[in-house]
Amino acid sequence: IDTRRQLAYLQAAVSGMPQGISVFDEALLLRVWNRGFIEALDLPADAVREGVHFSDLIRLQVERGDYG
């Protein structure tokens, strides 16, 4: 199975889970997530997209004071 198909299967599997789930690749780029991930971290939905870097998501939280 090609990588795109595997990602589609994984996305389908996690999308219905109530827990916040995210999968980052070896370059720390977001590949798979669900609504629970966005809600658990209270992230703006437009900031969460395929290929966004982990540090960009953390930066959003730092800028709003989540880490002191």
Side-chain angles (χ1 to χ4, degrees), residues 16-66:
M17 298 174 119
Q19 301 88 353
I21 297 175
S22 62
V23 177
F24 291 83
D25 68 12
E26 65 279 355
L28 296 179
L29 301 176
L30 183 62
R31 296 300 175 197
V32 177
W33 67 96
N34 65 1
R35 180 168 299 283
F37 171 70
I38 295 170
E39 292 171 357
L41 298 179
D42 194 26
L43 295 169
D46 62 335
V48 181
R49 62 191 181 285
E50 185 174 355
V52 67
H53 197 274
F54 178 79
S55 64
D56 293 331
L57 297 176
I58 295 300
R59 188 174 298 109
L60 290 171
Q61 296 173 294
V62 168
E63 289 173 353
R64 71 174 177 216
D66 289 358

